[in-house]
Amino acid sequence: MGAYLPNNQSDPLLEPVGVVGSGIAGLITAHILLQDGFRVVEVLTRDRSVGGVWSEERVYPGLQVNSVHGEFRFSTMPMHEPDSSIKTGGRLSGEDVRRYMEDFAKQFLSGKIRFETEILNIRRGDQGRGWNVLVHDKTTGTEKVLYYSRIILCTGGCSKPRYPEPLTPAAAKLAQFSGPVLHSMHFRSRLDDLISCTPTVASDPRAVPVAPIIIIGGGRSAQDSAAFLAREGRPVTMIFDTTDAFLASPTPLPPSIRKSRFLSIMSPHKELRTRLERFLHTTRFGAAIVYCFWQALASFSFYTLGIPRDSPLRRTHSPFWNTRTNDEGIPREGSFHGLANAGKITLIAPARVAKFGDDRHSVVLEDGRVFPAAAIILATGYESTWHSIFDNESMEQLGLGRHLPESGMTQDWDYVSLANPPVVPGETPLAASIYRGLVPAKNILNRDFAVNGAIFSAHHAYVCETSAHWISAYFRRDALRLPQSVDEALEATEHDAAWVRRRYPYILNWMDESNTSAVAFWTWPQFVDDLLEDMGVPAMRSGGNWLTWPFKVVDLNEISTLKQSEMLNVVRAHLEQSGLAVCNCIQVHRRFSFCDY
């Protein structure tokens, strides 16, 4: 059902929409738009296959995902349970996700995707209407300009490698380093080079040691790369300052813990909706429970994976104050932590690499130590691609760039659970002004540009699918709870940025705007509730009573009826605009989900 429009406005369903990126956010966004009646929707990707970070070009054997079966999928298509589900506790592999994304695109988006199409520039169209997208067709080597009335940016977070200044490819060339130097993003495509540059570890202790492959970084991509190389018998060394926190348990956590709101209520949200949340985060006794819970969870995870007390793997980020937390699940054969405990992966920490060695075969640490290296993998994160596809003028017009907080913005979250935050050295973290993490505040009244996939959360699929519905309603000009002016939207984004600085002091220094347009890591259910209420549909859809609601499983099927609920709201808005009485079923709809009546 289309939007009800004034006579001077065109029907947005008939105008072309461009979706930039074919990862999880791009695929579900395009599907929801088509489902909601948009006639011309086109996905643009520079890759040869869909999936983004889980595309064929980037997935390698043995790669594991933080998610378990039932989470990394969309509500419109089930995912087959992995063959190794019992052995791994339902853990998904990179191959599982890759196949699912490809099957989804084949079933729902056939003929809607332009592959091997690299975005060179996005700018306003003529007379300030629509968007001109300059692309490079990698198959023909030609450039062309494509026009779309609306753009949804679903890329940028994990597609441009970040290189530390002394370790750039140019620095490697200048130092004449003899082996391969690559970013972890290119691990799959350069795998043969890495395997061939060093022999397997000799079983004879009298054998001459060989130079290892050195991985710089302690995050998830560093761990995955190290584990793969160790399983292949290659000598590998990881050099890092601090590594990711993790959650682990001897047996798979029950769905009432793993897939419910339980973890989310143990983390404060900017708005405490329930009595239980207010108790946990605004009283001393509740805050003590929260503190002890997270401390116990970290300690229990170390115990589960057998991490020795003197191991560098205990130099982790806080799972409460930081978002760098991985879900390891149950102990598994050949896992990173198991291989490190067995001595198959050498760990150098705390340490930082300063430069390439003068001998062309080593790296030098900041403390002067020198380590031989056959190859170097830089697992050093990513930069936003937004600056490379928008010129400075467009970035400023949209308000996509980051900035210092506005003076006079107060923080009104006097939560006891947030007492004694870690001290973050350096400058005040910058933040972008993207309302709800979906629409640039400066452009909010135009309803022709949105972002999906840049919200940092622990349940990417659920958040992206709900966001896609929100964006569709926004583009259709449906009744949606929105700021009434640009100033109001900017004020809201400043408020949200202040909350992020309060809740996660590190993250805005660590990640760019294409990954942190909004941060709802543990509290993704509360964030989704905000989006659902914006659309006028029931929130907290998993249900439950005063005792059971924290433990009710949050399932993607809960949002499978959002389209029907939104249509009902469109009808209600039209009737209200026409001065007609609204039937009682609309009022019932406010109390129960669509599928209940």
Side-chain angles (χ1 to χ4, degrees):
M1 180 177 294
Y4 293 97
L5 300 167
N7 292 332
N8 61 343
Q9 289 186 355
S10 58
D11 187 347
L13 300 182
L14 303 179
E15 298 176 334
V17 181
V19 178
V20 181
S22 65
I24 185 170
L27 296 181
I28 191 59
T29 300
H31 173 59
I32 293 298
L33 291 177
L34 289 166
Q35 201 177 42
D36 286 357
F38 286 84
R39 305 289 179 80
V40 183
V41 178
E42 195 165 54
V43 178
L44 308 176
T45 178
R46 69 181 183 183
D47 298 328
R48 297 191 303 272
S49 60
V50 300
V53 295
W54 306 110
S55 66
E56 183 179 5
E57 296 94 314
R58 295 178 68 171
V59 170
Y60 52 89
L63 182 61
Q64 295 290 316
V65 184
N66 269 327
S67 301
V68 295
H69 178 253
E71 288 185 334
F72 218 113
R73 68 174 186 89
F74 307 126
S75 67
T76 50
M77 191 176 94
M79 174 184 277
H80 298 297
E81 189 167 358
D83 296 333
S84 59
S85 186
I86 296 177
K87 183 179 179 181
T88 64
R91 188 73 31 181
L92 296 176
S93 70
E95 275 296 311
D96 293 328
V97 178
R98 180 193 67 79
R99 285 194 296 268
Y100 180 84
M101 295 296 166
E102 291 184 356
D103 290 346
F104 183 88
K106 186 181 299 183
Q107 181 172 340
F108 296 106
L109 298 173
S110 179
K112 303 293 184 181
I113 304 175
R114 284 180 179 258
F115 292 103
E116 297 192 84
T117 301
E118 186 171 9
I119 308 295
L120 301 179
N121 180 257
I122 300 176
R123 56 184 172 82
R124 274 285 178 199
D126 297 338
Q127 300 178 349
R129 293 177 59 85
W131 301 92
N132 290 327
V133 181
L134 177 64
V135 301
H136 172 251
D137 188 327
K138 296 168 68 175
T139 60
T140 63
T142 59
E143 295 182 4
K144 65 179 70 174
V145 175
L146 307 174
Y147 173 81
Y148 301 99
S149 296
R150 289 165 181 79
I151 286 287
I152 308 174
L153 197 58
C154 300
T155 187
C158 298
S159 55
K160 183 180 180 182
R162 176 189 292 131
Y163 295 99
E165 190 58 38
L167 301 174
T168 62
K173 185 176 181 180
L174 185 63
Q176 298 182 330
F177 185 80
S178 59
V181 178
L182 59 133
H183 192 272
S184 56
M185 172 182 171
H186 304 123
F187 184 79
R188 172 65 181 86
S189 61
R190 299 288 301 278
L191 204 49
D192 291 342
D193 294 339
L194 290 169
I195 295 297
S196 63
C197 77
T198 183
T200 57
V201 178
S203 58
D204 186 350
R206 296 170 298 178
V208 177
V210 297
I213 297 172
I214 283 185
I215 301 176
I216 300 173
R220 185 58 189 256
S221 60
Q223 296 176 12
D224 288 337
S225 302
F228 177 87
L229 293 170
R231 289 193 296 267
E232 291 292 310
R234 262 56 186 184
V236 57
T237 296
M238 269 180 61
I239 301 175
F240 59 90
D241 180 68
T242 307
T243 188
D244 288 354
F246 60 89
L247 308 182
S249 57
T251 58
L253 291 174
S256 59
I257 300 296
R258 178 63 176 75
K259 298 182 179 182
S260 69
R261 290 175 175 261
F262 178 75
L263 290 176
S264 72
I265 65 173
M266 299 302 291
S267 176
H269 188 54
K270 64 182 179 182
E271 180 184 351
L272 303 177
R273 295 169 176 265
T274 66
R275 292 180 180 178
L276 179 56
E277 289 171 283
R278 289 191 289 273
F279 163 73
L280 288 171
H281 302 293
T282 64
T283 69
R284 289 186 178 182
F285 185 51
I289 293 174
V290 170
Y291 175 81
C292 291
F293 170 80
W294 290 104
Q295 289 293 108
L297 192 61
S299 298
F300 185 66
S301 296
F302 286 140
Y303 172 78
T304 297
L305 297 189
I307 308 300
R309 291 190 176 276
D310 60 349
S311 171
L313 293 179
R314 285 188 177 249
R315 288 185 54 84
T316 65
H317 298 280
S318 164
F320 178 79
W321 288 108
N322 209 295
T323 59
R324 298 185 64 173
T325 303
N326 299 320
D327 181 6
E328 293 297 325
I330 62 175
R332 303 186 307 278
E333 182 181 356
S335 69
F336 165 75
H337 293 89
L339 292 166
N341 287 343
K344 300 295 180 67
I345 300 171
T346 302
L347 305 173
I348 309 297
R352 293 179 182 272
V353 176
K355 63 177 183 178
F356 294 102
D358 295 333
D359 62 358
R360 301 173 55 216
H361 307 286
S362 63
V363 293
V364 182
L365 305 191
E366 288 182 348
D367 60 13
R369 287 181 290 171
V370 179
F371 287 89
I376 294 174
I377 300 172
L378 298 163
T380 48
Y382 296 88
E383 296 179 358
S384 171
T385 60
W386 294 359
H387 295 271
S388 61
I389 61 177
F390 295 95
D391 56 34
N392 292 335
E393 182 181 359
S394 297
M395 288 287 290
E396 175 62 27
Q397 286 178 349
L398 284 169
L400 286 175
R402 299 197 292 177
H403 59 273
L404 287 167
E406 295 291 335
S407 59
M409 175 57 64
T410 58
Q411 299 182 5
D412 53 357
W413 302 281
D414 191 21
Y415 298 168
V416 182
S417 63
L418 293 180
N420 304 314
V423 177
V424 181
E427 300 178 355
T428 302
L430 308 180
S433 296
I434 302 178
Y435 182 75
R436 292 287 195 233
L438 300 173
V439 177
K442 287 186 176 181
N443 196 67
I444 195 164
L445 301 182
N446 293 326
R447 297 209 184 204
D448 66 353
F449 188 95
V451 178
N452 197 2
I455 299 166
F456 200 85
S457 78
H459 200 324
H460 201 48
Y462 200 112
V463 172
C464 283
E465 183 162 344
T466 308
S467 298
H469 282 284
W470 193 99
I471 290 169
S472 177
Y474 172 73
F475 280 176
R476 294 197 312 263
R477 299 185 177 274
D478 290 349
L480 194 66
R481 184 177 64 183
L482 284 175
Q484 298 303 301
S485 67
V486 169
D487 287 342
E488 188 180 334
L490 287 170
E491 183 179 353
T493 60
E494 288 296 323
H495 186 266
D496 289 347
W499 163 249
V500 173
R501 294 185 183 97
R502 180 78 173 91
R503 177 64 186 89
Y504 296 110
Y506 293 98
I507 191 170
L508 294 179
N509 283 334
W510 168 53
M511 302 182 73
D512 57 67
E513 62 275 9
S514 63
N515 266 316
T516 56
S517 65
V519 181
F521 189 63
W522 298 113
T523 57
W524 62 268
Q526 293 96 314
F527 182 85
V528 165
D529 289 341
D530 291 336
L531 299 184
L532 294 173
E533 290 184 349
D534 285 347
M535 292 183 277
V537 298
M540 299 188 72
R541 301 172 80 87
S542 48
N545 59 32
W546 66 274
L547 180 63
T548 62
W549 71 265
F551 305 102
K552 298 290 287 186
V553 173
V554 181
D555 191 273
L556 274 160
N557 291 330
E558 298 167 6
I559 55 176
S560 62
T561 58
L562 278 185
K563 179 182 177 183
Q564 295 94 318
S565 300
E566 292 174 71
M567 291 173 65
L568 195 59
N569 281 333
V570 171
V571 173
R572 184 182 69 242
H574 180 58
L575 293 175
E576 289 173 348
Q577 290 176 7
S578 303
L580 300 178
V582 182
C583 63
N584 290 333
C585 69
I586 302 296
Q587 297 175 6
V588 174
H589 170 74
R590 294 182 183 274
R591 297 179 54 200
F592 301 100
S593 65
F594 185 86
C595 58
D596 286 333
Y597 62 90

